[in-house]
Each structure stands twice: as structure tokens, then as C-alpha cells.
Amino acid sequence: MNSNILVTGGNGQLGNELKLLLPEAIFTDADVLDITDETAVNNFVKNNNIEVIVNCAAYTAVDKAEDDAELAKKVNETGPENLAKTGCKIIHISTDYVFDGSNCKPYTPDDEPAPVSVYGKTKLAGEIAVKKEAKEYAIIRTAWLYSSFGNNFVKTMRRLGAERETLNVVCDQTGTPTYAKDLAEAIVKIIPQLNETNSGVYHFSNEGTCSWYDFATEIMELSNLPCKVFPILSAEYPTKATRPFYSVLDKSKLKKTFNISIPHWKESLKKCLKQF
């Protein structure tokens, strides 16, 4: 049933979750399909009769992107542009990093983006390209993605929590963790409903808000790890790329348009930890 769906970035966290829900879809990664190569994209779409593309492929090494802007631009901007030009219905995954984090209330899809990092700037450029080239599209911005697949904050905290007695985690960056399985389930519900009329930008993360410190504390508690987590300020943990201090996303448009209910981040974290 889903053989006309192409999922790029198939080996990532979200791609792996989608594999469980869309077993008939075609999954590619960079070694199978280079999305930055327009000819390769067109040929692949034509040869496989693709009708729907879910673009999970992205250059996501936020700090590395500061020195590798050219490659980040190719993957995050040129890639989505090539996919959107095929005329397929497209669901494109974007990020909270398109915002500067100066808000004090949840960002709506209509709020003006103002990225402060190369990663954020290239992801915004990808969104603009999709809007320009695609007829039927959903750009879904998400945040703080984790899963039982791949590398992520949850896995890092569990590993460090087992190795150390104490851990320092930033407490002045606020957002919402997103369980990739929940996002994958939302995407599967959106695909059949997506049309020209409801095409646009949407937000998806789990419900609730927390800091990275709160998130880490909850991970230790639910994992029964005795490691003590201490809050620190971002200034005490400098990174190459600037992170948005506040990136809570307002999901009401997505929930209303596609009739989707979203679980609280603590519930989803419990579900994910059962997978380990």
C-alpha cells in the first residue's frame, strides 16, 4: 500500500521509527540516494513511481555546521529543493533552530523565523525552497528529538549516568523533548490528509515544557540511575553554535488541522525507555 512513499534519511531516528509504521515504503540514505543531486533525485522518483516524499534527511551536526556551512547548505537547502521540484506531495522535517529563542511564549508556525546558527539558517533556507517549489507540502518543525535508535540526548545521559556519580546539565534552555515515534505516528496520519488547501508550516513536539536539566533529571529517575544531576548556565558550557534559549513550539495548528492528539513528554519518555 505504501510502496509509492519515499522516506529519505531512512537510517536516522525518525526514519527508523517510520520503517516500523510504513513497511512498504522505500527508505533511502545518502549512500543509496544523494538528495543534493537533482538528476539522481528525478530518476529515482520516476523509476519508483514515487507520489509522496517524507524528507528526514538533514545535516544535523549543529556545531560542526559552523565550519562546514557549504555541506550543511547542500543537504539542508539544495536537497529539499530537489525533492520539492519533483512534483510529489512532500512532508519536510525542519527544526526549532529557525527561531532565535528570544520569545517567552510558544512559537507559532506564523512567528517570524530568525535563526542564529548556520544549521538554523540552512534549515530555514530549505523550508523556503519547499514552499516555493512544492504544491502539496507540510513543513513540520520539531525539537529535541530522541528515540531508541541512533544517537541522542537520552542515550548520552543514560550512558554518562551509568559511568559517573555527578553530571552538569544546562538549565537555562527551555523547550520540549520529542519522541521520534510520536512524530512518526503523526506523519503517517498526515500523509492521506495532506492537500493543496492545508499545505503549510506546522509544529510538532510532545506536550509540556522543560529545561535540559529537567529532562536529564527525569531520565536518571526513570532509568533508576543514582547519578546526581546539577544545573549549570549555558555560559558555563560554551558551544560553537548558539542555541535558542527558548524554543517551545505551539502545536495547535497541527492538532486542529489533522485531528492529532499529542502525549506529554514525560509519558513518551517512559514509553521510549521501555524499548531499551
Side-chain angles (χ1 to χ4, degrees), residues 17 54 61 77 85 97 101-102 107 130 134 161-162 166 180 182 184 189 197 207 210 230 236 262 270 273:
E17 293 291 359
V54 182
E77 181 183 355
K85 277 180 177 173
Y97 277 65
S102 62
Y107 282 96
V130 170
T166 64
D182 293 338
K189 284 177 187 160
T197 313
E207 297 286 18
C210 65
F230 292 102
E236 297 171 70
I262 304 174
K270 279 179 201 163
L273 291 175

Side-chain angles (χ1 to χ4, degrees), residues 186-239:
I187 289 167
V188 171
K189 284 177 187 160
I190 290 167
I191 291 171
Q193 298 183 63
L194 188 60
N195 56 44
E196 238 178 293
T197 313
N198 61 25
S199 289
V201 180
Y202 293 90
H203 288 171
F204 184 99
S205 66
N206 282 109
E207 297 286 18
T209 64
C210 65
S211 68
W212 289 107
Y213 162 74
D214 299 324
F215 191 21
T217 304
E218 192 73 10
I219 293 163
M220 296 308 168
E221 207 168 293
L222 293 175
S223 305
N224 294 316
L225 289 165
C227 179
K228 181 97 178 93
V229 183
F230 292 102
I232 59 163
L233 298 175
S234 298
E236 297 171 70
Y237 186 78
T239 54

Side-chain angles (χ1 to χ4, degrees), residues 7-229:
V7 180
T8 59
N11 290 338
Q13 299 185 77
L14 186 55
N16 272 301
E17 293 291 359
L18 283 164
K19 274 178 193 169
L20 302 174
L21 301 172
L22 298 170
E24 303 296 317
I26 297 171
F27 290 81
T28 62
D29 234 323
D31 52 348
V32 176
L33 175 62
D34 177 3
I35 63 166
T36 69
D37 180 339
E38 192 176 356
T39 309
V41 167
N42 288 334
N43 290 341
F44 193 94
V45 165
K46 208 189 285 174
N47 295 340
N48 293 284
N49 300 316
I50 301 299
E51 292 167 26
V52 181
I53 298 171
V54 182
N55 182 34
C56 306
Y59 185 106
T60 56
V62 177
D63 291 317
K64 221 173 144 200
E66 294 296 310
D67 296 321
D68 206 357
E70 206 177 309
L71 182 59
K73 183 179 160 63
K74 272 179 81 174
V75 179
N76 292 343
E77 181 183 355
T78 311
E81 183 178 28
N82 291 340
L83 295 168
K85 277 180 177 173
T86 62
C88 293
K89 189 186 275 198
I90 183 166
I91 292 182
H92 173 64
I93 306 305
S94 193
T95 174
D96 58 327
Y97 277 65
V98 300
F99 297 115
D100 62 8
S102 62
N103 251 21
C104 54
K105 63 176 180 52
Y107 282 96
T108 73
D110 296 327
D111 281 331
E112 198 58 47
V116 288
S117 63
V118 168
Y119 169 66
K121 285 169 187 168
T122 58
K123 288 296 286 179
L124 178 60
E127 288 187 10
I128 293 164
V130 170
K131 276 186 197 169
K132 184 172 169 270
E133 301 295 344
K135 249 197 180 133
E136 296 177 283
Y137 67 91
I139 292 162
I140 304 176
R141 295 179 183 141
T142 190
W144 298 24
L145 205 64
Y146 69 91
S147 155
S148 56
F149 300 103
N151 297 318
N152 53 64
F153 186 77
V154 174
K155 284 191 172 178
T156 303
M157 288 301 107
R158 280 169 59 89
R159 177 175 55 79
L160 294 175
E163 292 168 2
R164 302 182 189 177
E165 284 175 19
T166 64
L167 211 54
N168 296 333
V169 180
V170 293
C171 65
D172 57 352
Q173 291 174 27
T174 305
T176 313
T178 307
Y179 183 20
K181 184 175 193 279
D182 293 338
L183 176 53
E185 285 172 358
I187 289 167
V188 171
K189 284 177 187 160
I190 290 167
I191 291 171
Q193 298 183 63
L194 188 60
N195 56 44
E196 238 178 293
T197 313
N198 61 25
S199 289
V201 180
Y202 293 90
H203 288 171
F204 184 99
S205 66
N206 282 109
E207 297 286 18
T209 64
C210 65
S211 68
W212 289 107
Y213 162 74
D214 299 324
F215 191 21
T217 304
E218 192 73 10
I219 293 163
M220 296 308 168
E221 207 168 293
L222 293 175
S223 305
N224 294 316
L225 289 165
C227 179
K228 181 97 178 93
V229 183

